[in-house]
């Protein structure tokens, strides 16, 4: 992601981040490919990288895989504390972000039973809608870790689920109102 501010927090004269009075910070901005670099760092000093995130995005899961390909930034955008050795280049300190997904639509009274939302057909208020999510593995078929959240339709029959993870399988379950069939 281009144009993201990345801040290097340094341990200052005593080399420790925990003594905040002398800590240092340096900002850079990611290039067109999302890359950044801090150089000329002092061996033995504690450093931590803080990532900003683009508007509307959130940080992805921390340490979800191998260090060269997963995100090192937690929910607040901070990496782990790093202490470098002389000549060391610790390149895989990175952050993954994504824009949460959403899904939803409408439950309506199909007055003529043709399976289409025809003009003038009204929404069904208060219909129960359940979203089943694929859990940690992202698959609905492995039910042991699935998630479930419910909502009811608004006065116009509309519903929406926000904050969804891209790449995760979801399934929507509708409950027919009393006396109605699908």
């Amino acid at each position: 992601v281009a144009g993201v501010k990345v801040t290097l927090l340094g341990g200052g004269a005593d080399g420790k981040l925990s003594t905040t009075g002398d800590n240092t910070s340096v900002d850079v901005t990611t290039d067109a490919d999302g890359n950044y670099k801090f150089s000329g760092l002092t061996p033995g000093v504690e450093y931590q990288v803080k990532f900003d995130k683009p508007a509307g995005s959130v940080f992805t899961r921390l340490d979800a895989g191998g260090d060269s390909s997963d995100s090192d930034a937690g929910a607040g955008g901070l990496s782990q504390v790093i202490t470098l050795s002389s000549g060391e280049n610790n390149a895989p300190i990175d952050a993954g972000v994504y824009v949460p997904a959403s899904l939803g639509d409408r439950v309506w009274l199909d007055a003529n039973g043709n399976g289409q939302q025809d003009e003038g057909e009204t929404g069904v208020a208060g219909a129960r809608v359940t979203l089943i999510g694929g859990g940690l593995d992202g698959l609905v078929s492995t039910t042991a870790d699935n998630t479930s959240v419910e909502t009811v339709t608004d006065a116009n029959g509309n519903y929406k689920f926000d904050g969804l993870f891209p790449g995760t399988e979801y399934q929507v379950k509708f409950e027919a109102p009393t006396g109605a069939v699908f």
Side-chain angles (χ1 to χ4, degrees), residues 75-100:
L78 284 170
S79 75
Q80 71 274 24
V81 174
I82 304 129
T83 303
L84 302 169
S85 301
S86 182
E88 181 180 355
N89 178 23
N90 191 331
I93 305 300
D94 49 19
V97 296
Y98 67 92
V99 177

Side-chain angles (χ1 to χ4, degrees), residues 1-80:
V1 178
V4 174
K5 181 175 132 181
V6 182
T7 303
L8 179 69
L9 306 170
D14 68 357
K16 303 290 182 194
L17 286 168
S18 60
T19 53
T20 59
D22 66 345
N23 286 354
T24 61
S25 70
V26 177
D27 297 332
V28 296
T29 303
T30 57
D31 66 17
D33 295 320
N35 297 311
Y36 74 94
K37 185 174 185 177
F38 296 103
S39 58
L41 305 180
T42 305
V45 171
E46 293 179 348
Y47 293 100
Q48 193 169 30
V49 180
K50 182 179 187 317
F51 298 90
D52 283 4
K53 59 183 167 96
S57 68
V58 295
F59 289 106
T60 193
R61 294 181 184 129
L62 172 67
D63 294 332
D67 198 37
S68 64
S69 64
D70 69 358
S71 181
D72 299 303
L78 284 170
S79 75
Q80 71 274 24

Side-chain angles (χ1 to χ4, degrees), residues 110-182:
D110 190 6
N112 61 6
N114 70 352
Q116 299 286 315
Q117 292 186 54
D118 298 316
E119 190 173 324
E121 292 183 328
T122 60
V124 177
R128 184 180 311 275
V129 183
T130 303
L131 180 70
I132 301 164
L136 289 176
D137 66 0
L139 303 174
V140 171
S141 61
T142 54
T143 59
D145 68 342
N146 284 355
T147 61
S148 176
V149 63
E150 291 184 357
T151 191
V152 292
T153 56
D154 67 14
N156 298 312
N158 298 315
Y159 72 92
K160 186 174 184 182
F161 295 100
D162 289 315
L164 307 181
F165 295 105
T168 296
E169 290 181 350
Y170 292 97
Q171 187 173 34
V172 181
K173 179 181 177 186
F174 299 93
E175 190 175 304
T178 303
V181 296
F182 292 108

